[in-house]
Amino acid sequence: MRAPLVELVGVAKGFGEGEARVQALSDITLSAMPGEVVGLRGPSGSGKSTLLNLVACILEPDAGLLRLAGETVWQGRWAPGDLRALRREKIGFIFQFHNLLPFLDAIDNVALALTLNGVPLAEARRRARDLLDYLQVGKRASAMPAKLSGGEAQRVAIARALANHPRIILADEPTAALDSERAQVVMDLLRRVAREQSATVLVVTHDEKIFSRFDRLIGLRDGRIETETRPSTAEDV
Amino acid sequence: MNLALRDIRHNLGRFLLTCLGLGLLLGVALAMVGIYRGVVEEALSLAHGLRADLWVVEAGSRGPFAEASRIPGDVREAVARLPGVIAAGGVTFQTVEARHAGGPDAAPAPEPGLAEDWVRERLGEAGRQRIGTVLRLQVVGYEPDRPGGPPSIVEGRGIGRGRREMVADRGSGLAPGAMVEMGGVRFRVVGLTARAVSTGGDPVGWITLRDSQELQFRLTPPAARRAQQGGGGGQPQDTVNAVIARLSPHARVEEVAAGIRRWKHFAALTAPEQEVVLTRSVVERARRQIGLFTVVLLLVSAVIVALIVYTLTMDKMREIATLKLIGAPDGSIVALVMQQALMLGAVGFAGGTTLLLAAKDAFPRRVLLGPEDVGSFGLVVFGICLLASLLGVRYALRIEPAQALGG
Ligand SMILES: Nc1ncnc2c1ncn2[C@@H]1O[C@H](COP(=O)(O)OP(=O)(O)OP(=O)(O)O)[C@@H](O)[C@H]1O
Ligand SMILES: [Mg+2]
């Protein structure tokens, strides 16, 4: 039996103190298997980004258990070990705003993620170019981020997130800046990566047009899981 | 992939502008170091130039530079007879407002470099135009053939047997052949020295001891003159401010000095003692003033570098958070901040030093900078940049990866 890559049990997260306290997430239990593409939907403020950031180990849970790739990462406190190394090696993060480094051109933004993992620069650039070609932005490899269109920048950012072949890919509204055609392309790509690399993909989205592209769609409301559906039209690419 | 360099290249204009500002500041700080060294150097310049092993002055005084000293001129014979003394000569020192009184149309032969153009412009092409110009001179009277004369003549000749001749420092702007009027007496400039200045930075002029005694007499107000002479006639006395002695290399300076100190009415200072008096007493305040100001400037530079690095880091908050989010270790983030601080310091230092070395001869007083001064200043700047970057480093390390998110 295959083990889940992402596992949350009874996770809660709040912000602030006293009167101003906001309970962003309560009692979240969910798991995602390798190869699975899971969507997170819900109204604004329902806790989607908070959930994603907990999985990315950017935020610390208040309670519960967080397990990634079979290892307990948080239970009462962080497990000993280098969180940043964990993020570097196991997690690929795609931001809502692409967050490319403005002083590096497209190819080096991708190559940087590889060199951080010890890949020599020349090799990193070669692999970065392949990835950009694969994402159909190879022609813009030497452009600075400021000169890229929203869709191009988002695809470069996706290339960066995929560069180290992470097992867990987290994306916060990756298609918000894209037209629906590009959005479909990005979703297809994430599905393909999930299948080919047995990765788990967690995507926060408002975009109803791509709901059908998920294996599973989790609906959040007021920090709780309200619905869980399996869009029947989902098909392999 | 060097992120520090890539970020600088991306914002090159802004970086260079920042470097320019820092360079100017560091240039001023380095100028203060040079001025400091110049003040010390100039304070010792005359004493060194006279090459005295021993100074014999009035008892109870630390003359002739720090305190007034008057002793009879014939002491030189007594000093010269001491064992170990090769030569001794009486010298006088007085600061005189001299007047340029014409001479050949020789253009002034001033300091090399920028100063040359400056003097030409200010004083005109011909010496003639400078008639009447007031010159502040440190006049040294000495006996030709005895110690006390100019260290080396760079143009013209030394003073001969004839009277009313003068060897002047180039810094005065005088040329050989020029006439100088002091106390109603005219002197002809026959030769030039280089870089001979008084402790206050005034150019030195050498005349014979007899001329100088006459000059001293003429410049003394009549009432004081009468008192000095005991109401007597109009002849100057054979008084000198100090007797300087050169010793044989085998003589023990301390012993000779101790011998002189046993004489009533006289005190003796060895060359190192005179140096201490000059730097610790004569220019002490100027030295401390400039030294303190140098330290203040360095502190200001440190604060400014710290602020620049801090703002540079703050501007990169989002990028640094992103780096942390994609797993960059702290080391690479510290390197990013520190390398930028050091590059800033290096470029600013190079710019400031180049600027100052090009401009230092335009200063009215000497700005002295040796390679070791520039070197140690560079080390100080390096240290300042490292220290100042700590604030930025602290800020960078406190950035949360979550700060990369959001709009
Ligand atoms: N850093 C924070 N400090 C305080 N409150 C926070 C913080 N982050 C999120 N919240 C609060 O937690 C709740 C959930 O926020 P979250 O960003 O997860 O919502 P979301 O579902 O992603 O909304 P959106 O669709 O608008 O992005 C909100 O009420 C929000 O105000
Ligand atoms: Mg959100």
Side-chain angles (χ1 to χ4, degrees), chain A residues 15-16 22 24 42-51 96 172-173 204 206:
Chain A
F15 296 102
V22 176
S44 180
S46 56
K48 306 181 294 292
S49 297
T50 305
L51 179 54
Q96 179 170 2
D172 198 345
E173 310 203 27
V204 169
H206 276 116

Side-chain angles (χ1 to χ4, degrees), chain A residues 53 58-59 84 87-88 93 95 97 99 101-105 108 111-113 115-116 121 125 144 160, chain B residues 1 3 6-7 10 316 318-319 322-330 332-333 401-402 404-407:
Chain A
N53 293 343
I58 296 168
L59 293 176
R84 235 175 278 171
R87 271 206 293 274
R88 195 162 64 220
F93 204 102
F95 306 88
F97 308 94
N99 280 61
L101 296 178
F103 49 86
L104 296 182
D105 55 15
D108 278 351
L112 174 67
T115 56
L116 286 176
L121 184 60
R125 285 206 174 120
M144 299 307 275
R160 177 175 68 183
Chain B
M1 191 179 317
L3 297 178
R6 297 290 289 267
D7 182 45
H10 187 240
K316 280 196 289 292
R318 202 178 157 86
E319 285 80 42
T322 305
L323 279 169
K324 289 187 176 188
L325 205 53
I326 64 173
D330 281 343
S332 65
I333 286 155
L405 310 170

Side-chain angles (χ1 to χ4, degrees), chain B residues 232-372:
Chain B
Q235 279 309 300
Q237 288 177 314
D238 183 16
T239 306
V240 297
N241 297 119
V243 167
I244 64 180
R246 297 225 177 100
L247 305 190
S248 90
H250 310 293
R252 289 215 206 107
V253 186
E254 276 308 328
E255 265 172 32
V256 182
I260 293 170
R261 282 178 195 130
R262 275 194 295 275
W263 299 352
K264 247 181 165 179
H265 310 306
F266 303 111
L269 286 95
T270 63
E273 281 167 355
Q274 186 65 267
E275 275 192 22
V276 171
V277 168
L278 282 167
T279 50
R280 290 287 149 198
S281 164
V282 178
V283 294
E284 177 66 2
R285 275 175 198 287
R287 204 172 63 85
R288 286 209 333 236
Q289 174 103 339
I290 298 167
L292 185 68
F293 196 63
T294 310
V295 171
V296 168
L297 273 179
L298 288 176
L299 284 178
V300 170
S301 312
V303 170
I304 287 181
V305 174
L307 276 177
I308 293 173
V309 175
Y310 192 75
T311 16
L312 275 181
T313 313
M314 239 162 53
D315 287 350
K316 280 196 289 292
M317 187 268 275
R318 202 178 157 86
E319 285 80 42
I320 290 171
T322 305
L323 279 169
K324 289 187 176 188
L325 205 53
I326 64 173
D330 281 343
S332 65
I333 286 155
V334 172
L336 169 69
V337 176
M338 282 206 160
Q339 283 170 1
Q340 289 197 341
L342 292 181
M343 286 179 207
L344 190 73
V347 176
F349 168 73
T353 307
T354 313
L355 200 75
L356 182 64
L357 290 181
K360 77 180 166 74
D361 290 328
F363 284 75
R365 285 191 66 176
R366 193 170 311 167
V367 175
L368 186 73
L369 280 175
E372 69 286 346

Side-chain angles (χ1 to χ4, degrees), chain B residues 74-88:
Chain B
D74 52 18
V75 174
R76 65 182 162 275
E77 269 79 39
V79 173
R81 276 196 298 273
L82 287 173
V85 175
I86 297 175

